[in-house]
Amino acid sequence: MFSKRFNFRRKRSDDIRQSRFQRATSQSSQSPQSRSPNPSPSNLSIPLQEDDAQSTTSNSQTPRHPYFRNTSDHSRKNSEAKPGALGLDIVYTPERDYKVDVVFIHGLGGASRRTWSKNEDPELFWPMKFLPLETDVCQTRILTFGYNANFRTSGNVSTSVLDFAKDLLFDLKYARDEYNKDLNIGDAYIQGQNDPNYEAIIKAISAITFLATPHRGTNLADLLDRILRSTFLTNSKIYISELAKNSFTLQKLNEQFRHIAPRLEIVSFYETQSTSIGLKSARVMILEKESSILGYPGETSKALNADHHNVCKFDSPEDPNYITVRNALGSIVGKIISTSSSNKALPPKQKDLRDLKTLLAISEIPDVDYIFFRDQWAQGTCDWVLEEDRYLEWLNAQDQSRTLLWLNGGAATGKSVLASFVINNLVEQEFSCQYFFMRFGNREKRGLSLLLRSVAYQLARDMPEFMEQVLQLADEAIDFPTADPRTLWERIYKSVLFNLKAVRTLYWIFDGLDEADDLRTLVRLLSDISVSSMPIRVLLLGRKTNEIVEVLQKLPQATTLSTISIEGHLADMRTYIGQELCMSANAGFTESVVGRILRGAQNNFLADVELALQTLPIGMEAIYDRMALTIAQNPSTTDKALASTLLQCATTSLRVLAVAELAQALQEDTYTMLDLQRSIVDLCGGFVVIDNGGNVAMVHQTAREYLLNSNERPFCVDKSVAHKQMFTNCMRSLMTVGLRARMKDNRQPEFLDYAAKSWSSHLMLTPPGCAQTAEILGKFLGGHWVLIWIQFLATHQQLGVLVEASKHLSRYCAQRKKFDAGRSEQDHLVFKQELIDRWAEDLLKVVGKFGMVLRGNPESIYKLIPPFCPQSSAIYQQFGKTKDRSLVISGLSGQNWDDSIARMSFGPGAYASFISAAGSQIAILISSGRVILYDSSTFEEATASPVKHNERVYRMELSSNGTLLATYGYLTTKIWETSTGLCKHSVPNVESRPRPLAMLLTKNNTVLLVGTDDRRIRSLDLTQNPSTWQLTAELEEPELEGHFLNSSNHMALNSDGRLVAVAYRGHPLSAWEIDGPVHIGHCWRTREEVARGEVIEAVWHPHGLEVLGLYIEGVVFKWRPYDDKTDELATGASRLAISRDGHLFATGDVRGTVKVYTTAEFSLLYQLASEDTVLGMTFSPDLRRFYDVRGNYGNAWEPNALIRFSEQRSTGGRIEGETESLPQSSTASESWAGRIDAITTLAGSPVGRLYCCGTEQGVVHLHDTKRGKLADIYASKSFFSIEQLTWSKDGRYLAFSDSSKKVIIMSIDLRIGDLDAVAEKGAEITMRNVTDGPILQLLFDPDSNKLLVRTSSTIVSILIANFSSTQSLELQSSQHQWIIHPQVPALIIDIGPSSIRILDWDLVERQVYNFQYSQTSLRMDHSSDPISTVDRVLVTTDKRHMLAQITLTKRLFGVLSAPRTSIEPSGNFCYFNQL
């Protein structure tokens, strides 16, 4: 806040303002909403200054500038006699149109004019006297901002930095000149970012210049604060304490500013001379360079030859310091003016960036790590790398093969600092640079997934076109945080970035190569950049380990790797030591000391100077021994214990903890610390450092290893004890009293985020026999805290943590059982095994079954979700059956969780054999040529469903994002929009009518590739309309001796459409490169006795050059055609599907069994036994589910095994602090899913609590809404499905019919209230000989004397007294619905598509109404048939109107409003007035 700012924007030439103004009283009393709105400024930039503590009141006067409008002499003289006005003050406005606003803001103890005037001379007020004369600055309007920051006077002690910022914000937006005109300028940047009222102003700020601004505070602030406290005339000020070294306020401001700084041009000036403090010749350095510089990428920093008092005051326009500042301002102004007048593309919208940040799950940008290492850089070091020939070749290489450069060195040799130096150098040259620091102390930062997502986010900030295309990937329903890195690489980089037009070279800097979890995959992916149209250069930094050398040696020949060793650069060490070493001695002695340190440091920048002088230990362990000894020899027992606790947290935390988080984790241990940051560093003996973001981190990875693996050292950390302590800390935070209310008010503890995500990982590594751990865990899972935890994770879109916690709970239980196995019963510790086991399963299932609901409404976990859970689950037992529940669910089909998520029924006569899933769509191909679309989150049929091709369809294909559907029919191929159902393309097929065997939408859905049984690949260019078929490749298969070559029976295209595999009957599978085409080879069976086999399924690995296939006898094979290597596995399957990332494949067989295997090892992961033949299957895009079709229905399955596997892939299957994954179970998960007897009809009794349902197997169930199922009152011996079911008005009779045209009438006797209902069969009447067609409706009369039975051809009246047929009436159409007349129950109404009839119960017609629809309001194809069927009719509560739902052959959406005979459509409903 305390720094000088300048703001820029465009203004019209007539928009001239008065030089002096104050806030208008009438305006300040108004609310911001009542004021006139701001015009949106174009460009702004701001300089800020921290003043010194010595200031006197100025009596000099400031002359009026000739460009100012005249004001009264009296007001002018009064204002000029002061140090400067409060608020905004215009000091210069050019005569002509101005392009830029510059706002000068003083600092502590300063004033709006005195701060900028040398010796308080108004003639040396350089913003008004010097700058307007500069040709490159004179087009700017110049203003100052003053506020009361005089610490020498008594005043409001609660005034803070934030208060000053708010004052500036208000003036910049609402200030007016003396003509009462709006000033309309900029904003206090940070505060404005958080206030939507200032959004337009924020967008205008382009640059900020800082002059000696204490970004990290100063130790002198503490001294000043103590002086003020000791006097009676003044008192302490909050804003002074906020300037203390690394104060919390400054850390928070820096953390916020770090995220928005990349949008600005930043110039920082720093003082180089000490300042007189008024005590004779005493001088001190008020502000060190490290506090004056932010250290951000692209920041320009310059030294001024001045002390703190004069850093912003100049003698004349020839003053060298003034020239330096003027040149910086002039450069910025020139850039802004040229940018504003050019047609440069606007920066990405902030909303899009926020959306992208959410999509990619970016919680922290890498600037934090960059700044941490940049702050450790010493002036004059690292310059050598800029002169290295190999670095220059890499930097300027024109050859795309020279893309990789590896800088290597030993531990603690400054690799990360060198990385920050290179980054800064590239950004200063305005190169496009993206970077990532892999940190051993943070599990996520070791993973390849976060690296790829972070670089993508950085690219998007610089490349709007790239951001736009990446945002479109949201339609593909990829769960980016858990997606396989290869999927991220394929979809984000190869499919998007590599295909963009090359406009500039990209430079990627990856530090910590030796700390990466999956180094081989990273290098393998980077080898693809040689084919990118966008030039990319990659700089890797890491230790020279055998693993890295081996991996880099396997780079393809197309990629050239250069190597530079960073060791042996003694000049850097000498410079660093010289800057750190302060000695009052002659040059010779100092040089000898530096030499001794150099020899002892062993190229190690971590070697402490004092320790090196004392013992000069050789190697890292000796250094750490001395550091540990200082802790062990601490005379204070309390301090030693606290140091142990701090290091326990630092060494075992899953990520670095902020100081505030650590303080909350330790609670009472830190209450007595006056300066927590300093205490942490001092107590921990140099093992930890605190970075600029206020994060406590280990000084190096080797320090962590030393403390955790050094039992015989002077000081060490017991790993199991440390994890127990961290688990306890997490539980204490999660069980905070009043936590739910604090979350609602957004006042949750800082440590809560870490505790919620990490407690289960620490639990895994605690001693299994610890009674205290078990007791705390049982208390947490047995109370309401577990629901608050789930709500917190759902609110922050972190439900994947529940999956990880489930896995950890299961393993903890297994460890505990093993521990208890060898102990007698009386020795067993109290352990709630069953509770933990239940919650381990519940957490998984809650994510699977209710994840979508939780994300949209996190508070549903309290009241809505528990009642829907199985009764044996822990969540139901604890929260679903409580007395105060607001929702009661009865009749749930199972007592336990199962793997079934949904069942999709396709209707009578429908038969499906093909299913596909992409984006949010599930598409199922029905034999009739229809495609049914379902929403994958709700499993509701989509609005555009069904898609009707109107001819036989051989094959369909969804685009990768699910937005397009291609269907290949007998005569035509069509492309559909899945959101609307509109046909975008309809192309006649080739005359020879080949059958399609493979289809692929590729090249961002602009090309459709189709492989057919005539061994040809054809394509459609979807950018052309009409489009025509183009022959892409003709595969001239070579005939093999002893084999018969015929038409191909199966094809598989790889994900980018460059490779194809072709299968034949009696001929080996063949692989081809389509471009050419070029034949790769044949797949031969591994068993010689079976030389051939018919391939019935084949798929390419999504990210590899291998084919997964299935032989007709049920053998799965994996074939690498370029290596000609084959693996086989006997499964007995008839269907095959592979996951999107290629890690898993699934098989299905004729017995209904589904098996899921890992692709790499052919290991069985999951097995499902069910009924009915599996005809088709596919995985969901997020890999957590798979879908299958089995004739007239389909299933969605979400096994625990898939959820855990998906989460394990995202975390690397590793617990922080462990070098190896925990052991996995060797037994595959098994599940049984019996045949589901689907409900076909449902009806509730008009009286009481009873309801009935009929099923597909011919069973009728009687239920009570409170007691659940009462009985099965009917079961068809021949399993004929129940089709219709209805109750009489008084609830005494129940009638239903089955598919054999049999009507059953039963009496329901409610003997004791509703508690003892008895059902008795009254009659069973067959309608086979009475009428033709199926039974469509049953209807009791109001007195329960008659039952109407309507079929497709006849309506029959049955007398209940003797169950005989009394009357019948032939019907002209089956497309009607019959209801009881709402106002006259003695009549019935027959509602048809174009007529309404009124009849009595003897079926005598009383009145007929005919009507026609207004065709202008019908949204339908007029060439199609008219309205076909009335589906259902509803009556309004006042019994005066009816609403009819009507189905058309072409879907009609309209409501028909009919006063008697005229009807107006609008929807697929007809609205009638009562007749």
Side-chain angles (χ1 to χ4, degrees):
M1 174 63 201
F2 297 98
S3 37
K4 299 184 183 95
R5 297 190 175 182
F6 48 100
N7 301 341
F8 306 154
R9 65 169 185 145
R10 288 179 183 274
K11 293 294 284 185
R12 300 184 305 274
S13 59
D14 60 342
D15 192 13
I16 306 298
R17 294 288 185 257
Q18 183 69 9
S19 62
R20 288 293 311 273
F21 66 88
Q22 297 285 342
R23 295 182 197 159
T25 305
S26 60
Q27 294 297 324
S28 63
S29 63
Q30 301 177 31
S31 65
Q33 290 82 356
S34 66
R35 298 183 177 94
S36 58
N38 283 344
S40 183
S42 302
N43 289 292
L44 283 175
S45 174
I46 308 180
L48 310 173
Q49 148 77 25
E50 169 64 13
D51 283 292
D52 61 300
Q54 302 177 1
S55 301
T56 59
T57 304
S58 172
N59 295 318
S60 59
Q61 297 181 350
T62 304
R64 185 179 65 217
H65 196 277
Y67 294 126
F68 291 173
R69 296 175 184 264
N70 258 332
T71 59
S72 68
D73 290 340
H74 176 72
S75 63
R76 176 170 55 82
K77 289 179 180 179
N78 285 344
S79 64
E80 289 170 355
K82 298 178 181 178
L86 299 180
L88 279 176
D89 184 13
I90 301 176
V91 299
Y92 167 72
T93 302
E95 287 184 317
R96 299 179 181 179
D97 185 21
Y98 57 90
K99 308 292 185 181
V100 173
D101 281 318
V102 181
V103 180
F104 287 79
I105 305 172
H106 64 83
L108 178 62
S112 60
R113 293 205 175 203
R114 185 182 63 226
T115 292
W116 316 100
S117 304
K118 184 81 170 184
N119 300 323
E120 301 181 9
D121 183 354
E123 293 300 320
L124 298 180
F125 178 44
W126 62 274
M128 185 177 74
K129 295 295 184 178
F130 300 172
L131 286 181
L133 304 178
E134 307 291 349
T135 57
D136 49 357
V137 185
C138 63
Q139 295 185 63
T140 66
R141 182 173 63 172
I142 301 174
L143 308 93
T144 62
F145 176 76
Y147 57 94
N148 184 11
N150 189 351
F151 56 81
R152 295 167 302 153
T153 60
S154 60
N156 188 350
V157 298
S158 62
T159 303
S160 68
V161 170
L162 180 60
D163 296 315
F164 297 146
K166 288 180 177 178
D167 284 343
L168 176 58
L169 276 172
F170 191 94
D171 274 2
L172 288 173
K173 184 169 184 179
Y174 299 119
R176 292 171 174 265
D177 59 22
E178 67 177 20
Y179 292 98
N180 204 30
K181 292 185 177 180
D182 226 349
L183 196 66
N184 271 340
I185 326 181
D187 181 340
Y189 200 65
I190 292 293
Q191 182 63 19
Q193 289 285 333
N194 303 318
D195 193 334
N197 291 324
Y198 304 104
E199 181 178 0
I201 297 175
I202 282 295
K203 291 180 180 178
I205 297 179
S206 299
I208 299 181
T209 297
F210 297 99
L211 281 85
T213 305
H215 301 298
R216 295 170 186 84
T218 173
N219 292 327
L220 292 179
D222 292 332
L223 175 61
L224 176 59
D225 193 44
R226 287 194 291 269
I227 293 173
L228 293 177
R229 290 178 186 272
S230 64
T231 64
F232 293 100
L233 298 178
T234 60
N235 46 34
S236 176
K237 306 292 194 298
I238 286 181
Y239 56 78
I240 294 177
S241 63
E242 289 175 336
L243 287 178
K245 186 89 169 175
N246 290 321
S247 73
F248 178 75
T249 299
L250 290 179
Q251 289 181 17
K252 187 175 181 180
L253 286 173
N254 287 334
E255 176 63 25
Q256 293 173 335
F257 189 63
R258 179 180 298 117
H259 297 284
I260 52 183
R263 311 170 203 158
L264 304 169
E265 181 166 354
I266 298 174
V267 180
S268 297
F269 296 98
Y270 57 92
E271 61 202 67
T272 57
Q273 295 184 8
S274 57
T275 302
S276 172
I277 59 174
L279 299 174
K280 296 183 179 181
S281 61
R283 304 181 69 88
V284 296
M285 199 71 175
I286 299 292
L287 207 58
E288 301 292 341
K289 175 186 174 183
E290 65 173 8
S291 186
S292 302
I293 297 176
L294 288 163
Y296 294 164
E299 175 191 13
T300 301
S301 60
K302 294 181 182 296
L304 294 178
N305 186 24
D307 59 19
H308 190 72
H309 183 64
N310 293 304
V311 76
C312 55
K313 302 175 178 69
F314 311 120
D315 294 318
S316 69
E318 288 74 35
D319 188 324
N321 288 336
Y322 169 76
I323 294 173
T324 301
V325 175
R326 179 206 65 189
N327 290 343
L329 295 181
S331 174
I332 294 174
V333 170
K335 288 180 182 179
I336 293 177
I337 293 176
S338 62
T339 300
S340 301
S341 59
S342 68
N343 295 322
K344 184 177 179 180
L346 294 174
K349 293 182 179 179
Q350 297 305 309
K351 181 181 182 301
D352 289 341
L353 273 175
R354 288 196 298 268
D355 292 344
L356 183 65
K357 196 172 184 179
T358 301
L359 177 68
L360 298 177
I362 302 296
S363 58
E364 178 187 287
I365 56 178
D367 296 9
V368 176
D369 294 321
Y370 163 79
I371 295 168
F372 173 71
F373 291 115
R374 181 63 178 162
D375 280 349
Q376 299 178 36
W377 172 73
Q379 184 84 27
T381 63
C382 303
D383 293 329
W384 60 268
V385 74
L386 303 180
E387 300 174 1
E388 281 279 341
D389 292 339
R390 293 180 180 178
Y391 175 81
L392 295 174
E393 290 175 1
W394 170 82
L395 183 68
N396 304 309
Q398 301 299 318
D399 185 1
Q400 190 70 330
S401 66
R402 293 185 175 273
T403 55
L404 292 180
L405 176 63
W406 177 29
L407 295 179
N408 59 65
T413 52
K415 298 181 294 297
S416 299
V417 174
L418 180 61
S420 70
F421 174 82
V422 173
I423 293 168
N424 188 73
N425 182 264
L426 292 172
V427 174
E428 283 185 343
Q429 297 181 64
E430 298 187 353
F431 290 146
S432 179
C433 177
Q434 294 76 42
Y435 52 90
F436 191 83
F437 291 82
M438 285 166 269
R439 304 290 296 272
F440 182 82
N442 190 315
R443 176 174 56 182
E444 258 201 309
K445 290 183 180 179
R446 297 200 309 261
L448 183 52
S449 172
L450 182 59
L451 181 151
L452 296 176
R453 289 183 280 123
S454 177
V455 171
Y457 179 73
Q458 294 175 66
L459 286 167
R461 292 191 303 189
D462 295 338
M463 304 168 62
E465 182 183 0
F466 175 75
M467 180 176 66
E468 180 182 351
Q469 294 193 36
V470 173
L471 282 172
Q472 293 175 3
L473 297 179
D475 296 332
E476 299 190 17
I478 300 174
D479 187 12
F480 284 95
T482 62
D484 183 85
R486 293 179 296 180
T487 300
L488 300 178
W489 184 255
E490 289 285 339
R491 299 305 303 135
I492 296 177
Y493 293 88
K494 294 184 71 174
S495 299
V496 179
L497 180 65
F498 287 11
N499 293 317
L500 292 178
K501 182 180 179 181
V503 292
R504 60 194 304 192
T505 300
L506 305 178
Y507 293 90
W508 294 351
I509 316 298
F510 300 150
D511 176 61
L513 193 62
D514 50 300
E515 299 180 13
D517 276 344
D518 195 352
L519 174 63
R520 296 179 185 275
T521 302
L522 171 61
V523 174
R524 188 160 53 245
L525 297 181
L526 292 178
S527 65
D528 291 338
I529 62 178
S530 59
V531 300
S532 170
S533 61
M534 184 80 65
I536 302 173
R537 307 284 179 263
V538 182
L539 175 62
L540 306 172
L541 297 98
R543 284 187 284 180
K544 190 173 183 179
T545 65
N546 292 333
E547 180 189 9
I548 296 178
V549 172
E550 180 185 351
V551 170
L552 294 178
Q553 285 177 347
K554 296 181 179 180
L555 283 168
Q557 294 182 352
T559 303
T560 302
L561 173 70
S562 300
T563 305
I564 299 175
S565 174
I566 71 173
E567 295 188 8
H569 292 279
L570 296 181
D572 278 5
M573 288 292 296
R574 182 178 296 276
T575 302
Y576 175 76
I577 295 170
Q579 292 186 15
E580 294 294 317
L581 188 63
C582 296
M583 298 183 63
S584 298
N586 60 58
F589 179 75
T590 302
E591 182 63 25
S592 67
V593 173
V594 171
R596 291 179 60 200
I597 296 175
L598 278 174
R599 292 190 295 274
Q602 298 287 314
N603 283 316
N604 192 318
F605 281 92
L606 290 182
D608 182 84
V609 172
E610 183 180 355
L611 294 179
L613 282 172
Q614 291 177 2
T615 60
L616 297 180
I618 299 176
M620 291 297 301
E621 288 193 1
I623 297 173
Y624 290 146
D625 280 343
R626 293 305 303 264
M627 294 164 63
L629 193 60
T630 62
I631 300 175
Q633 293 178 347
N634 192 320
S636 171
T637 306
T638 303
D639 287 352
K640 184 176 178 181
L642 183 54
S644 178
T645 305
L646 288 168
L647 288 173
Q648 284 176 350
C649 294
T651 54
T652 58
S653 60
L654 306 191
R655 61 167 173 79
V656 292
L657 296 174
V659 172
E661 290 179 307
L662 192 59
Q664 286 191 347
L666 301 181
Q667 287 194 348
E668 67 275 0
D669 294 337
T670 60
Y671 285 162
T672 59
M673 293 185 182
L674 297 178
D675 189 339
L676 181 58
Q677 293 195 14
R678 188 174 302 171
S679 298
I680 291 173
V681 175
D682 292 345
L683 288 173
C684 293
F687 280 105
V688 301
V689 293
I690 298 179
D691 63 22
N692 296 326
N695 299 312
V696 182
M698 298 300 298
V699 68
H700 196 264
Q701 172 192 341
T702 54
R704 181 195 304 268
E705 295 171 354
Y706 171 88
L707 290 173
L708 292 175
N709 301 286
S710 56
N711 293 331
E712 298 180 357
R713 300 294 184 182
F715 178 84
C716 65
V717 173
D718 187 310
K719 190 184 304 182
S720 60
V721 173
H723 282 292
K724 175 189 172 184
Q725 181 61 44
M726 288 298 292
F727 169 75
T728 304
N729 294 339
C730 291
M731 287 290 101
R732 185 167 55 227
S733 178
L734 290 170
M735 292 191 283
T736 301
V737 176
L739 180 59
R740 184 179 176 187
R742 294 179 66 180
M743 287 168 48
K744 187 175 183 180
D745 297 337
N746 199 26
R747 296 184 295 108
Q748 61 263 23
E750 281 85 353
F751 189 62
L752 181 62
D753 179 78
Y754 180 88
K757 297 176 183 177
S758 308
W759 68 264
S760 65
S761 297
H762 292 296
L763 172 68
M764 273 300 306
L765 299 170
T766 59
C770 178
Q772 182 184 5
T773 300
E775 183 179 352
I776 294 174
L777 179 61
K779 181 180 179 181
F780 172 69
L781 295 178
H784 66 282
W785 297 286
V786 66
L787 298 188
I788 299 175
W789 169 57
I790 295 173
Q791 181 202 355
F792 176 83
L793 294 175
T795 302
H796 292 82
Q797 304 296 308
Q798 294 289 334
L799 290 181
V801 175
L802 297 181
V803 179
E804 186 175 357
S806 168
K807 175 182 63 179
H808 293 160
L809 286 175
S810 297
R811 293 183 183 175
Y812 176 73
C813 283
Q815 291 177 355
R816 187 57 190 260
K817 289 177 182 177
K818 186 177 180 181
F819 173 81
D820 286 342
R823 301 166 63 86
S824 60
E825 288 189 16
Q826 57 268 28
D827 292 333
H828 282 187
L829 298 174
V830 177
F831 182 55
K832 298 182 178 180
Q833 177 75 46
E834 184 179 356
L835 175 67
I836 299 176
D837 274 335
R838 284 182 176 178
W839 271 110
E841 184 173 18
D842 287 1
L843 295 179
L844 269 180
K845 292 303 183 182
V846 163
V847 175
K849 294 182 180 290
F850 306 109
M852 190 64 65
V853 176
L854 272 173
R855 292 182 185 96
N857 180 18
E859 292 204 347
S860 62
I861 191 62
Y862 296 107
K863 299 290 186 182
L864 299 180
I865 290 176
F868 282 98
C869 298
Q871 295 181 5
S872 66
S873 64
I875 188 172
Y876 179 86
Q877 291 292 325
Q878 293 173 219
F879 309 106
K881 64 175 186 178
T882 57
K883 293 182 180 180
D884 61 344
R885 56 182 172 169
S886 57
L887 181 65
V888 179
I889 309 296
S890 63
L892 291 176
S893 57
Q895 295 290 314
N896 301 302
W897 294 106
D898 57 40
D899 293 339
S900 175
I901 293 293
R903 173 169 168 155
M904 299 162 282
S905 297
F906 311 138
Y911 187 84
S913 60
F914 191 83
I915 183 170
S916 179
S920 61
Q921 303 287 344
I922 303 172
I924 296 167
L925 178 60
I926 307 298
S927 56
S928 61
R930 294 180 298 130
V931 177
I932 302 178
L933 299 174
Y934 290 92
D935 185 287
S936 61
S937 59
T938 63
F939 296 99
E940 294 178 323
E941 192 169 344
T943 305
S945 178
V947 175
K948 297 181 180 179
H949 193 106
N950 291 329
E951 63 182 83
R952 183 178 181 182
V953 176
Y954 293 115
R955 198 171 185 87
M956 71 170 185
E957 180 72 15
L958 275 173
S959 62
S960 59
N961 57 9
T963 57
L964 293 182
L965 171 72
T967 55
Y968 191 106
Y970 177 70
L971 297 174
T972 59
T973 295
K974 297 183 179 181
I975 309 296
W976 311 81
E977 272 188 354
T978 57
S979 59
T980 62
L982 296 178
C983 181
K984 298 186 66 176
H985 298 270
S986 181
V987 182
N989 293 336
V990 295
E991 294 182 1
S992 59
R993 302 283 187 268
R995 295 190 60 177
L997 302 179
M999 296 173 65
L1000 178 69
L1001 284 160
T1002 186
K1003 295 185 179 179
N1004 291 326
N1005 300 333
T1006 60
V1007 174
L1008 174 67
L1009 287 179
V1010 178
T1012 53
D1013 60 359
D1014 59 356
R1015 301 201 295 272
R1016 289 179 171 88
I1017 310 293
R1018 297 178 175 87
S1019 64
L1020 285 176
D1021 185 353
L1022 303 183
T1023 62
Q1024 304 293 323
N1025 200 357
S1027 181
T1028 57
W1029 290 105
Q1030 301 295 324
L1031 183 62
T1032 302
E1034 185 170 1
L1035 310 177
E1036 298 180 358
E1037 187 71 44
E1039 288 201 35
L1040 302 173
E1041 185 177 351
H1043 296 80
F1044 177 71
L1045 184 63
N1046 51 20
S1047 297
S1048 53
N1049 69 308
H1050 188 84
M1051 278 189 180
L1053 292 162
N1054 79 328
S1055 57
D1056 60 8
R1058 297 179 181 180
L1059 302 173
V1060 62
V1062 188
Y1064 309 88
R1065 295 179 180 86
H1067 192 276
L1069 182 74
S1070 185
W1072 293 78
E1073 292 179 359
I1074 294 178
D1075 188 11
V1078 178
H1079 186 258
I1080 303 173
H1082 293 101
C1083 178
W1084 299 97
R1085 299 297 299 270
T1086 59
R1087 295 168 292 174
E1088 294 183 0
E1089 61 272 18
V1090 184
R1092 68 186 71 173
E1094 181 180 342
V1095 175
I1096 58 174
E1097 292 267 13
V1099 289
W1100 285 90
H1101 192 289
H1103 307 308
L1105 301 176
E1106 63 183 25
V1107 178
L1108 198 68
L1110 178 65
Y1111 289 113
I1112 193 171
E1113 67 268 26
V1115 174
V1116 174
F1117 66 90
K1118 181 169 56 179
W1119 174 45
R1120 292 172 287 279
Y1122 287 96
D1123 301 332
D1124 198 21
K1125 295 181 179 178
T1126 307
D1127 300 316
E1128 292 187 0
L1129 174 70
T1131 63
S1134 57
R1135 289 292 181 265
L1136 176 72
I1138 193 168
S1139 64
R1140 184 167 188 162
D1141 64 356
H1143 286 304
L1144 300 175
F1145 70 90
T1147 64
D1149 61 29
V1150 295
R1151 297 177 297 278
T1153 302
V1154 175
K1155 297 179 182 179
V1156 180
Y1157 297 86
T1158 60
T1159 309
E1161 299 87 12
F1162 276 178
S1163 299
L1164 182 62
L1165 182 69
Y1166 172 77
Q1167 179 171 320
L1168 169 71
S1170 185
E1171 299 182 3
D1172 295 328
T1173 301
V1174 178
L1175 301 173
M1177 56 197 315
T1178 188
F1179 282 90
S1180 66
D1182 63 5
L1183 315 181
R1184 296 168 182 261
R1185 300 174 179 173
F1186 65 86
Y1187 311 112
D1188 64 37
V1189 288
R1190 308 185 183 219
N1192 62 354
Y1193 71 95
N1195 298 298
W1197 309 96
E1198 189 168 62
N1200 295 349
L1202 261 65
I1203 299 176
R1204 284 178 173 155
F1205 184 87
S1206 176
E1207 287 298 323
Q1208 184 180 358
R1209 292 296 308 172
S1210 68
T1211 60
R1214 184 173 296 179
I1215 302 297
E1216 185 67 23
E1218 298 299 292
T1219 56
E1220 296 180 359
S1221 300
L1222 292 168
Q1224 302 292 319
S1225 173
S1226 59
T1227 306
S1229 173
E1230 296 186 6
S1231 180
W1232 160 255
R1235 182 186 296 274
I1236 297 176
D1237 191 7
I1239 294 176
T1240 54
T1241 181
L1242 176 71
S1245 172
V1247 296
R1249 305 194 310 255
L1250 301 181
Y1251 66 94
C1252 275
C1253 61
T1255 71
E1256 198 173 50
Q1257 298 296 311
V1259 180
V1260 177
H1261 305 290
L1262 180 64
H1263 292 261
D1264 184 282
T1265 56
K1266 291 186 177 180
R1267 299 166 58 195
K1269 181 179 176 181
L1270 300 178
D1272 294 339
I1273 60 177
Y1274 178 81
S1276 172
K1277 296 180 181 178
S1278 302
F1279 303 103
F1280 290 116
S1281 63
I1282 306 300
E1283 304 291 343
Q1284 304 295 331
L1285 190 151
T1286 189
W1287 290 79
S1288 62
K1289 184 178 181 180
D1290 56 12
R1292 294 188 299 118
Y1293 294 100
L1294 175 71
F1296 51 88
S1297 63
D1298 62 20
S1299 55
S1300 68
K1301 296 176 61 175
K1302 189 182 296 182
V1303 177
I1304 297 93
I1305 303 174
M1306 304 190 76
S1307 63
I1308 306 297
D1309 185 9
L1310 305 177
R1311 295 181 179 177
I1312 308 174
D1314 284 351
L1315 300 180
D1316 193 17
V1318 176
E1320 297 180 354
K1321 182 187 292 187
E1324 189 171 302
I1325 308 167
T1326 180
M1327 306 297 293
R1328 252 182 238 169
N1329 301 325
V1330 179
T1331 181
D1332 295 330
I1335 296 175
L1336 302 178
Q1337 188 177 4
L1338 300 174
L1339 187 66
F1340 278 104
D1341 78 329
D1343 299 325
S1344 304
N1345 294 324
K1346 292 183 178 181
L1347 174 71
L1348 290 184
V1349 181
R1350 181 173 69 88
T1351 69
S1352 58
S1353 61
T1354 310
I1355 186 167
V1356 179
S1357 176
I1358 297 176
L1359 191 63
I1360 300 298
N1362 54 17
F1363 304 113
S1364 61
S1365 173
T1366 56
Q1367 293 95 15
S1368 65
L1369 178 67
E1370 296 295 323
L1371 301 177
Q1372 300 299 319
S1373 172
S1374 63
Q1375 302 157 355
H1376 295 221
Q1377 284 289 330
W1378 293 62
I1379 66 169
I1380 299 174
H1381 198 298
Q1383 296 178 347
V1384 187
L1387 300 176
I1388 51 179
I1389 304 177
D1390 168 22
I1391 303 172
S1394 58
S1395 66
I1396 295 178
R1397 294 193 298 168
I1398 309 295
L1399 302 91
D1400 60 23
W1401 284 94
D1402 293 327
L1403 303 181
V1404 176
E1405 186 177 284
R1406 298 292 186 90
Q1407 200 168 359
V1408 178
Y1409 299 93
N1410 296 308
F1411 49 85
Q1412 292 182 345
Y1413 294 94
S1414 172
Q1415 296 296 316
T1416 58
S1417 57
L1418 287 177
R1419 289 179 287 135
M1420 58 178 289
D1421 184 353
H1422 299 296
S1423 64
S1424 63
D1425 295 334
I1427 298 172
S1428 55
T1429 304
V1430 179
D1431 297 312
R1432 57 177 177 161
V1433 178
L1434 300 177
V1435 178
T1436 58
T1437 54
D1438 61 4
K1439 300 183 180 181
R1440 297 180 57 192
H1441 304 87
M1442 298 178 298
L1443 187 68
Q1445 178 181 347
I1446 298 176
T1447 297
L1448 309 173
T1449 14
K1450 280 287 185 180
R1451 298 178 64 85
L1452 165 68
F1453 297 93
V1455 171
L1456 309 179
S1457 176
R1460 291 201 172 268
T1461 57
S1462 66
I1463 301 179
E1464 296 297 330
S1466 111
N1468 61 335
F1469 296 95
C1470 299
Y1471 184 59
F1472 299 95
N1473 283 328
Q1474 190 61 56
L1475 303 174

